[in-house]
Amino acid sequence: MGQRILLVEDDRQTADYIARGLGEEGFTIERADNGRDGFFHASDGSYDAVILDRMLPAMDGMAVLAALRAAGIETPVIILSALGTPDDRVAGLTGGADDYLVKPFAFAELLARLRLLLRRPGSGTAQVTELQCADLHMNLLSRQVRRAGQLVELQPREFRLLEYLLRHAGQVVSRTMLLEGVWDYHFDPGTNVIDVHISRLRRKLDDGFDPPLLHTVRGAGYRLGTSE
């Protein structure tokens, strides 16, 4: 993707987590840890989006947002805040934000909202009951998986992992996304749990079938698809 994202967040742990996850997704991240510096960087209008904490030292997020809009800077802004009442959300959105995400949040949700802002896709969602990639089919109602018509027996965690990969078929899925989306971890546990489950899933999906579908993308994550 290559989009430049400005992250304005004074909590270092939160900023490190967001920056790492977005970096894994191919974004270029620049950071500021206070509102004054955030405004200085954002005011040149060169960023594709700004992720802006609401409660910041030197200059709070709402003041940064107001100053940017007053200067004619229309860069999309997602506000992050522990303030989550309806009035707080309305104040953020009417103050010029494009989206408002309440802390604590899942990285996958932040990523999805950011992509929506950057892509501006059409709306409309239909209930999905079956997922497919090549000759691999997953029925979400019967919870059956078949490849080339053959039943593939999966453990519950393997099913959840495959469902996540199928929902992102053709995309590189990072370890951060898998930890949050499949294991509900919002931190890196420092184990090889992902590698173990990917290895098991790959054997069940690809052994005896052609072409292989589950690929490791070195330094980035994993991808479900028909080619490297």
Side-chain angles (χ1 to χ4, degrees):
M1 285 179 289
Q3 289 103 327
R4 294 179 67 225
I5 309 299
L6 176 63
L7 173 60
V8 189
E9 168 63 68
D10 64 320
D11 182 84
R12 183 169 182 176
Q13 184 176 11
T14 300
D16 287 344
Y17 186 69
I18 294 172
R20 183 186 66 196
L22 292 180
E24 290 173 345
E25 293 302 311
F27 293 94
T28 298
I29 310 301
E30 295 186 27
R31 293 165 57 168
D33 61 5
N34 66 78
R36 188 189 309 106
D37 289 345
F39 173 72
F40 174 79
H41 290 295
S43 61
D44 67 8
S46 66
Y47 295 91
D48 294 288
V50 176
I51 299 173
L52 178 66
D53 186 25
R54 181 165 175 171
M55 301 173 69
L56 292 165
M59 184 179 185
D60 71 76
M62 292 300 296
V64 172
L65 181 59
L68 287 174
R69 297 309 188 227
I73 305 298
E74 297 300 327
T75 305
V77 173
I78 299 178
I79 286 184
L80 304 181
S81 179
L83 304 175
T85 69
D87 286 345
D88 292 324
R89 294 171 185 261
V90 168
L93 295 171
T94 57
D98 297 87
D99 205 346
Y100 193 108
L101 188 57
V102 178
K103 297 179 179 180
F105 56 86
F107 173 78
E109 182 179 7
L110 172 62
L111 179 62
R113 290 175 181 242
L114 179 61
R115 283 176 167 164
L116 283 173
L117 284 184
L118 294 172
R119 294 176 182 175
R120 304 287 185 180
S123 60
T125 57
Q127 184 175 4
V128 175
T129 60
E130 185 165 319
L131 302 172
Q132 177 181 355
C133 179
D135 59 354
L136 176 66
H137 297 261
M138 170 181 281
N139 189 301
L140 297 172
L141 299 180
S142 66
R143 296 187 68 80
Q144 287 189 335
V145 174
R146 295 181 182 273
R147 175 139 197 216
Q150 297 184 36
L151 187 64
V152 179
E153 298 287 350
L154 298 178
Q155 296 297 317
R157 185 72 69 178
E158 293 168 345
F159 186 94
R160 188 172 177 183
L161 174 59
L162 179 57
E163 179 184 351
Y164 194 92
L165 291 168
L166 279 166
R167 290 186 183 277
H168 297 81
Q171 304 173 21
V172 176
V173 176
S174 70
R175 297 175 66 88
T176 299
M177 292 175 68
L178 290 177
L179 284 172
E180 288 196 342
V182 180
W183 278 270
D184 296 319
Y185 290 161
H186 300 286
F187 61 94
D188 189 341
T191 71
N192 65 343
V193 61
I194 292 179
D195 305 281
V196 169
H197 280 79
I198 286 287
S199 179
R200 290 175 182 169
L201 187 60
R202 181 180 280 121
R203 286 197 300 269
K204 293 183 178 184
L205 295 182
D206 287 343
D207 284 2
F209 297 99
D210 189 62
L213 293 180
L214 185 49
H215 308 282
T216 299
V217 181
R218 185 168 305 219
Y222 306 93
R223 186 179 59 79
L224 192 70
T226 55
S227 61
E228 293 287 351

